[in-house]
Amino acid sequence: VFAFCLNMCFAYSKFFIIFEEKHALEALGASTGLAVRHIHITGKLYFTMILLYLRTILVAIFFLVLPFIISSIIAFFTILSLKIFLLWIFWIISSILFIFIVHLNSTLEIFVEAAWYEAYMLCKKEDKEYSGHHEDHSSHDNHGHEETAHHEKPTTHNVHHH
Protein backbone atom coordinates (compact mmCIF):
# COMPACT_ATOMS: atom_id res chain seq x y z
CA VAL A 1 0.00 0.00 0.00
CA PHE A 2 2.88 2.36 0.86
CA ALA A 3 4.61 1.65 -2.47
CA PHE A 4 1.30 2.19 -4.27
CA CYS A 5 0.94 5.63 -2.65
CA LEU A 6 4.55 6.57 -3.41
CA ASN A 7 4.19 5.55 -7.05
CA MET A 8 1.06 7.66 -7.34
CA CYS A 9 2.73 10.66 -5.71
CA PHE A 10 5.89 10.45 -7.81
CA ALA A 11 4.13 9.77 -11.12
CA TYR A 12 4.67 13.28 -12.48
CA SER A 13 8.26 13.77 -11.27
CA LYS A 14 9.89 12.96 -14.62
CA PHE A 15 7.82 15.67 -16.30
CA PHE A 16 8.96 18.24 -13.75
CA ILE A 17 12.57 17.21 -14.38
CA ILE A 18 12.23 17.33 -18.17
CA PHE A 19 9.95 20.33 -18.72
CA GLU A 20 10.62 22.50 -15.70
CA GLU A 21 14.28 21.51 -15.19
CA LYS A 22 13.81 20.78 -11.50
CA HIS A 23 16.27 18.72 -9.49
CA ALA A 24 15.23 15.24 -8.36
CA LEU A 25 14.03 16.17 -4.85
CA GLU A 26 12.25 19.29 -6.11
CA ALA A 27 10.56 17.21 -8.80
CA LEU A 28 9.44 14.60 -6.27
CA GLY A 29 7.96 17.32 -4.07
CA ALA A 30 6.24 19.07 -6.98
CA SER A 31 4.93 15.74 -8.27
CA THR A 32 3.52 14.85 -4.87
CA GLY A 33 1.79 18.22 -4.62
CA LEU A 34 0.32 17.90 -8.10
CA ALA A 35 -0.83 14.33 -7.49
CA VAL A 36 -2.49 15.22 -4.17
CA ARG A 37 -4.19 18.37 -5.55
CA HIS A 38 -5.53 16.33 -8.48
CA ILE A 39 -6.07 12.99 -6.76
CA HIS A 40 -9.16 12.28 -8.88
CA ILE A 41 -7.19 12.46 -12.14
CA THR A 42 -4.13 10.68 -10.76
CA GLY A 43 -6.19 7.96 -9.06
CA LYS A 44 -8.26 7.20 -12.17
CA LEU A 45 -5.20 7.05 -14.38
CA TYR A 46 -3.24 4.93 -11.92
CA PHE A 47 -6.12 2.45 -11.60
CA THR A 48 -6.42 2.29 -15.40
CA MET A 49 -2.68 1.62 -15.69
CA ILE A 50 -2.94 -1.22 -13.17
CA LEU A 51 -5.71 -2.80 -15.25
CA LEU A 52 -3.67 -2.41 -18.45
CA TYR A 53 -0.61 -4.01 -16.88
CA LEU A 54 -2.70 -6.86 -15.45
CA ARG A 55 -4.13 -7.50 -18.90
CA THR A 56 -0.62 -7.53 -20.38
CA ILE A 57 0.55 -9.95 -17.69
CA LEU A 58 -2.39 -12.26 -18.43
CA VAL A 59 -1.60 -12.20 -22.17
CA ALA A 60 2.07 -12.92 -21.45
CA ILE A 61 1.15 -15.82 -19.14
CA PHE A 62 -1.08 -17.23 -21.86
CA PHE A 63 1.76 -16.99 -24.37
CA LEU A 64 4.13 -18.65 -21.91
CA VAL A 65 1.71 -21.49 -21.15
CA LEU A 66 0.93 -22.12 -24.82
CA PRO A 67 4.46 -23.37 -25.64
CA PHE A 68 4.29 -25.83 -22.73
CA ILE A 69 1.00 -27.15 -24.03
CA ILE A 70 2.48 -27.54 -27.51
CA SER A 71 5.63 -29.25 -26.19
CA SER A 72 3.45 -31.65 -24.18
CA ILE A 73 1.59 -32.59 -27.35
CA ILE A 74 4.89 -33.05 -29.21
CA ALA A 75 6.16 -35.40 -26.47
CA PHE A 76 3.42 -37.92 -27.29
CA PHE A 77 4.68 -38.45 -30.82
CA THR A 78 7.32 -41.14 -31.23
CA ILE A 79 8.36 -40.61 -34.84
CA LEU A 80 11.58 -38.57 -34.85
CA SER A 81 10.94 -36.73 -38.14
CA LEU A 82 7.47 -35.72 -36.92
CA LYS A 83 8.96 -34.42 -33.64
CA ILE A 84 11.51 -32.33 -35.56
CA PHE A 85 8.79 -30.96 -37.84
CA LEU A 86 6.57 -30.08 -34.87
CA LEU A 87 9.51 -28.51 -33.01
CA TRP A 88 10.16 -26.23 -36.02
CA ILE A 89 6.51 -25.22 -36.08
CA PHE A 90 6.66 -24.71 -32.32
CA TRP A 91 9.78 -22.52 -32.71
CA ILE A 92 8.13 -20.41 -35.44
CA ILE A 93 4.94 -19.95 -33.42
CA SER A 94 6.94 -19.08 -30.29
CA SER A 95 9.01 -16.53 -32.20
CA ILE A 96 5.90 -14.88 -33.63
CA LEU A 97 4.27 -14.79 -30.18
CA PHE A 98 7.46 -13.35 -28.65
CA ILE A 99 7.57 -10.58 -31.27
CA PHE A 100 3.88 -9.91 -30.64
CA ILE A 101 4.47 -9.62 -26.86
CA VAL A 102 7.44 -7.28 -27.38
CA HIS A 103 5.38 -5.12 -29.75
CA LEU A 104 2.43 -5.12 -27.36
CA ASN A 105 4.65 -4.11 -24.45
CA SER A 106 6.34 -1.33 -26.47
CA THR A 107 3.00 0.05 -27.60
CA LEU A 108 1.67 -0.12 -24.06
CA GLU A 109 4.68 1.77 -22.68
CA ILE A 110 4.27 4.52 -25.29
CA PHE A 111 0.58 4.76 -24.43
CA VAL A 112 1.31 4.87 -20.69
CA GLU A 113 3.86 7.68 -21.08
CA ALA A 114 1.48 9.64 -23.31
CA ALA A 115 -1.39 9.17 -20.86
CA TRP A 116 0.72 10.37 -17.89
CA TYR A 117 1.92 13.34 -19.95
CA GLU A 118 -1.68 14.27 -20.81
CA ALA A 119 -2.62 13.97 -17.13
CA TYR A 120 0.36 16.17 -16.18
CA MET A 121 -0.70 18.83 -18.69
CA LEU A 122 -4.34 18.66 -17.54
CA CYS A 123 -3.33 19.06 -13.90
CA LYS A 124 -1.05 22.00 -14.75
CA LYS A 125 -3.89 23.60 -16.75
CA GLU A 126 -6.31 23.17 -13.85
CA ASP A 127 -3.73 24.65 -11.47
CA LYS A 128 -3.30 27.66 -13.76
CA GLU A 129 -7.08 28.12 -14.09
CA TYR A 130 -7.52 27.81 -10.34
CA SER A 131 -4.74 30.30 -9.56
CA GLY A 132 -6.08 32.74 -12.19
CA HIS A 133 -9.61 32.35 -10.84
CA HIS A 134 -8.34 32.75 -7.28
CA GLU A 135 -6.38 35.92 -8.17
CA ASP A 136 -9.47 37.46 -9.81
CA HIS A 137 -11.43 37.03 -6.61
CA SER A 138 -8.61 38.15 -4.33
CA SER A 139 -8.55 41.59 -5.96
CA HIS A 140 -12.21 42.02 -5.03
CA ASP A 141 -11.84 40.96 -1.42
CA ASN A 142 -12.04 44.52 -0.09
CA HIS A 143 -15.46 44.95 -1.66
CA GLY A 144 -14.72 48.50 -2.78
CA HIS A 145 -13.17 49.62 0.51
CA GLU A 146 -9.70 49.56 -1.02
CA GLU A 147 -10.55 52.61 -3.11
CA THR A 148 -11.61 54.71 -0.14
CA ALA A 149 -8.44 53.89 1.71
CA HIS A 150 -6.32 55.48 -1.01
CA HIS A 151 -8.48 58.50 -1.84
CA GLU A 152 -9.99 60.91 0.63
CA LYS A 153 -13.62 61.61 0.12
CA PRO A 154 -14.19 65.26 -0.43
CA THR A 155 -15.46 66.93 2.69
CA THR A 156 -16.22 70.52 3.47
CA HIS A 157 -12.90 70.89 5.27
CA ASN A 158 -10.65 70.21 2.27
CA VAL A 159 -12.68 72.03 -0.38
CA HIS A 160 -10.97 75.32 -1.27
CA HIS A 161 -13.09 78.36 -1.79
CA HIS A 162 -11.80 81.09 -4.12
Side-chain angles (χ1 to χ4, degrees):
V1 173
F2 182 68
F4 173 77
C5 290
L6 281 180
N7 280 331
M8 256 179 69
C9 288
F10 298 159
Y12 302 110
S13 59
K14 61 185 152 206
F15 301 114
F16 281 104
I17 292 170
I18 294 168
F19 299 119
E20 298 185 22
E21 298 178 1
K22 293 185 183 268
H23 296 288
L25 291 177
E26 281 181 304
L28 292 175
S31 177
T32 300
L34 193 67
V36 169
R37 280 192 310 277
H38 301 282
I39 194 69
H40 60 286
I41 294 171
T42 306
K44 281 182 187 177
L45 186 56
Y46 203 77
F47 181 71
T48 303
M49 294 303 142
I50 289 173
L51 291 178
L52 279 172
Y53 283 124
L54 284 176
R55 180 178 180 264
T56 304
I57 289 169
L58 289 174
V59 168
I61 288 173
F62 171 74
F63 286 150
L64 289 175
V65 169
L66 188 64
F68 287 111
I69 292 171
I70 293 173
S71 63
S72 301
I73 293 170
I74 292 173
F76 285 112
F77 291 99
T78 55
I79 304 170
L80 184 61
S81 60
L82 185 59
K83 277 186 178 182
I84 293 172
F85 175 74
L86 291 175
L87 283 173
W88 272 103
I89 290 175
F90 169 70
W91 184 82
I92 292 169
I93 291 172
S94 296
S95 299
I96 291 170
L97 293 178
F98 178 74
I99 291 169
F100 178 74
I101 289 173
V102 169
H103 178 69
L104 179 69
N105 190 44
S106 301
T107 305
L108 180 65
E109 285 303 312
I110 292 168
F111 172 77
V112 165
E113 290 303 317
W116 279 111
Y117 174 74
E118 287 294 322
Y120 166 79
M121 295 304 290
L122 180 63
C123 292
K124 295 295 279 184
K125 180 181 173 191
E126 285 184 7
D127 277 354
K128 186 182 279 188
E129 287 173 359
Y130 175 76
S131 67
H133 180 69
H134 187 64
E135 287 173 7
D136 289 345
H137 288 299
S138 66
S139 65
H140 300 295
D141 284 346
N142 292 333
H143 302 291
H145 298 294
E146 161 181 359
E147 213 174 287
T148 58
H150 296 294
H151 305 288
E152 278 188 13
K153 289 183 179 179
T155 61
T156 56
H157 296 109
N158 55 1
V159 173
H160 300 311
H161 297 295
H162 293 283

